[in-house]
Each structure stands twice: as C-alpha cells, then as structure tokens.
Amino acid sequence: MFTNRIDATRKSEVFNEVLGEVFIHHLTLLKPLLQNSLRRKSEVVTDRPIPMKTQFGEIHYESPVIVDRQVQHGYVMGGDSLGRKYILCIDYAKRPAPLTLYYTDPLPETANGIPVLTADGNLILAGGIALGGTYFTPTSAVWLFPVGQRTDSEAADSGNKSLSGWMWILLAALIILALIAWILYRTRRNRPDETRESSSNGPTEPVPASPANQLMQRIEALMEEQRLYLNSDLKMGDVASQLGVHQNEVSACINNSKGYSFSQFVNNYRVVYAQQQLREHPEKKMSQVGMESGFANDTTFYRVFKTITGLTPSEWLSSVSEN
C-alpha cells in the first residue's frame, strides 16, 4: 500500500512506498531520471526488494531481463489486472543497484512477448496474445516505451553498430518468407484431385469455432449466467480467474470480437440491466437503479447511460412511457 494516491495521467508524479521508497514515474516522462555510471560490476545487488505490488494491484513480471549495455541498465516488463504495463529498471552500474519502476495507463490493446531494445535505448512491444498455449491472436498495436536514457552520441553509435545486424536479420526473414510461400504453392499445386474430390462429395462438416470464438462464448455465458457485471468492483482479472485464462487473453478476445475495451463491454450489460429495471420498476429512484445495475456512483451511471443510449436515464424512461 502507498501513502498517497496518484493520477496515472500525470507526467511526472512521484510517490513513496511504505516499505522501501520505490520511485514510480509515468512512462511519458522523457528526461533522464538517474546519473549514469561506467563502472562494471561482477555482481548485481539491488538497494531494495523487487516491487511486486503498487497501489493499482499486483505486478506479474512476464519477460526476461533486457540489457542495455550502453548505459548499463536492465529492464524487466510486467503487467497487472487492469491492463497497465510496468517496466522495472535496474541500474546495475551502481552498487547497490537502484531500482526504478515505470508504469503506463491501462492500455486498450496489449500483447504478450519480449520487448525489443531500440538504438536510442527505448523499448518496443508488439505481437499478440497466445490463446490456450496453441493458438496465437495477433494485435494491431505496437507500443513504444520511452525509458531510454542515452545521449544523442550514444544512440548514434549504438545505431551504427546494430544497423548491419538488423540488415542481416531482415534479409533472413525475407528468405524464410519466400521459402514458406514456395512450399505452400507447391503443396497446393500437387493436390488438385483432392480438392475436386472433396467438393464433389456434397456438403462438408461445419468448421469448429476458433479458440478465440470459443473464449468469447465462455465470457458471454459467464456474464449472462452469473451476472458478474452487477459487481461494481468487477475487474478483468476476476473474469480471467473464473475462466482459467490470462487476463490479456480476455482483453484481446473482447477487443477483437466486439471492438470494445473490457469496461465498455461490462457497461453495456449494466445499461441493458438498468433499462430493464426502469421499465419494470419505474417507481425506483435513479440512484437505486444505478447501484443495483453495478455502477459505482450516480455520476458514472448517468455518464455511461447517456454515452450508450444518447439519453439520460430519466429521458429514456420518459420516451419509453410515451411509447
């Protein structure tokens, strides 16, 4: 727990942990936060325990240590149940090594994977979500985390050294893609008889639903049967825990299937339930309907209801009564 709360949208807020003074900065802060040291160490000892929890919830670290040898920093990426990303910076040039924990606001679309270190010392994360350990759902988002603390000359030197390496990687990727395309072409060309035979045998069996569609069906069934949306403290991690999957899978599935964030998806259920309550019990107070529908307060109830329906709860009830 922390001594005071912080608005995650601010640029450079700092707050202290009761046990250890772990400094947490928003990722959009671009200025260097630590002095660099060029001394090498054979052993890394941190000046405090690894932070596992913030005021927003527990941190689940997901990546190995990404090392920036130019400034002698190591980075480990993690996340929480609300969709925030955390990057723990280890300044191993100093003894003991100071720790700095960066965080983002909740991201609407995230990915699982290992971040890539750029030439200027920042981190890039792209990819998708692994569903069920077998299937992979790519995401369209590519996130840049500006944690780099290099000078312009250091970034230029690193970029020149890594340029040739990236060119070789790109060339190898192009060769692999060309090889895969050739194999697919040869395979399809050698099986025309099988294609004609299968089309002449009448209708085929229905294709089973994809893992993403199956997961979406499970999410909707859970919401409709257990009415989880009536809980004003419902979190994405609660749904993921009941389904036995990672919260990132839930977020990616809802975003790809419905085009909603998790909160938008839940609020749609709450508004439908509120409309049912207003229609069946018009004598109830609006504040009571909002609380019973899962909204934390009247302000959120009125704002979300009007965003989804275009009318306030009172205006909607009047329109229904007139009809």
Side-chain angles (χ1 to χ4, degrees):
M1 297 298 293
F2 296 86
T3 55
N4 60 315
R5 297 179 63 84
I6 182 173
D7 183 357
T9 62
R10 295 181 184 175
K11 299 295 184 183
S12 59
E13 287 286 350
V14 178
F15 60 98
N16 298 329
E17 185 181 17
V18 176
L19 303 176
E21 295 187 355
V22 177
F23 299 107
I24 300 185
H25 304 262
H26 196 278
L27 278 177
T28 55
L29 180 61
L30 301 179
K31 296 181 179 179
L33 302 178
L34 297 172
Q35 295 296 326
N36 297 325
S37 172
L38 299 179
R39 295 176 296 172
R40 295 183 177 275
K41 302 294 186 298
S42 59
E43 181 181 7
V44 177
V45 178
T46 60
D47 63 348
R48 66 205 65 189
I50 301 297
M52 302 301 296
K53 187 176 183 180
T54 71
Q55 64 174 5
F56 307 114
E58 295 184 358
I59 304 174
H60 302 280
Y61 292 103
E62 304 164 348
S63 77
V65 178
I66 310 300
V67 178
D68 186 347
R69 299 184 184 279
Q70 289 285 335
V71 295
Q72 300 187 58
H73 285 178
Y75 300 101
V76 183
M77 178 169 287
D80 63 16
S81 61
L82 300 177
R84 288 183 175 83
K85 284 294 184 182
Y86 296 83
I87 297 179
L88 178 65
C89 173
I90 307 168
D91 185 3
Y92 65 86
K94 300 178 182 179
R95 180 178 296 176
L99 301 179
T100 304
L101 184 64
Y102 301 90
Y103 72 95
T104 69
D105 292 330
L107 303 181
E109 187 177 6
T110 58
N112 290 336
I114 300 176
V116 177
L117 184 68
T118 66
D120 54 1
N122 296 321
L123 296 177
I124 290 180
L125 181 64
I129 306 298
L131 299 175
T134 303
Y135 297 90
F136 183 79
T137 299
T139 62
S140 59
V142 178
W143 297 100
L144 172 66
F145 303 91
V147 297
Q149 299 178 27
R150 300 183 186 178
T151 62
D152 293 339
S153 60
E154 288 175 335
D157 291 342
S158 176
N160 293 333
K161 292 178 182 178
S162 61
L163 180 60
S164 60
W166 280 109
M167 291 180 63
W168 281 109
I169 293 175
L170 179 60
L171 179 60
L174 291 175
I175 293 174
I176 292 174
L177 288 175
L179 181 61
I180 293 174
W182 180 81
I183 292 174
L184 291 175
Y185 170 76
R186 296 286 297 179
T187 302
R188 295 182 62 181
R189 184 179 180 182
N190 293 335
R191 298 195 317 183
D193 295 339
E194 296 179 11
T195 304
R196 286 194 294 267
E197 181 180 353
S198 61
S199 61
S200 62
N201 289 335
T204 59
E205 295 183 0
V207 178
S210 67
N213 290 337
Q214 292 177 2
L215 179 57
M216 192 67 242
Q217 293 172 3
R218 293 176 60 198
I219 294 173
E220 291 177 332
L222 185 65
M223 298 295 291
E224 294 168 4
E225 294 173 4
Q226 298 191 21
R227 294 184 175 180
L228 298 183
Y229 52 86
L230 299 182
N231 177 11
S232 60
D233 295 326
L234 180 66
K235 296 180 177 60
M236 193 187 308
D238 300 331
V239 177
S241 177
Q242 293 207 36
L243 295 174
V245 298
H246 193 279
Q247 61 188 13
N248 284 352
E249 296 183 42
V250 175
S251 175
C253 183
I254 294 175
N255 185 268
N256 294 334
S257 300
K258 303 295 183 181
Y260 296 146
S261 67
F262 176 76
S263 60
Q264 291 172 329
F265 175 72
V266 174
N267 283 336
N268 272 290
Y269 278 101
R270 289 170 174 164
V271 169
V272 171
Y273 184 85
Q275 290 175 326
Q276 179 183 349
Q277 292 299 303
L278 290 172
R279 189 182 297 109
E280 297 178 357
H281 305 283
E283 74 282 357
K284 284 187 177 181
K285 294 182 177 180
M286 292 299 173
S287 58
Q288 181 182 357
V289 173
M291 294 293 289
E292 292 178 353
S293 301
F295 292 98
N297 51 62
D298 292 349
T299 302
T300 303
F301 173 45
Y302 277 80
R303 175 176 55 81
V304 172
F305 195 99
K306 186 168 184 179
T307 298
I308 293 177
T309 66
L311 301 171
T312 65
S314 299
E315 292 171 343
W316 184 88
L317 181 59
S318 298
S319 66
V320 172
S321 300
E322 292 174 0
N323 295 332

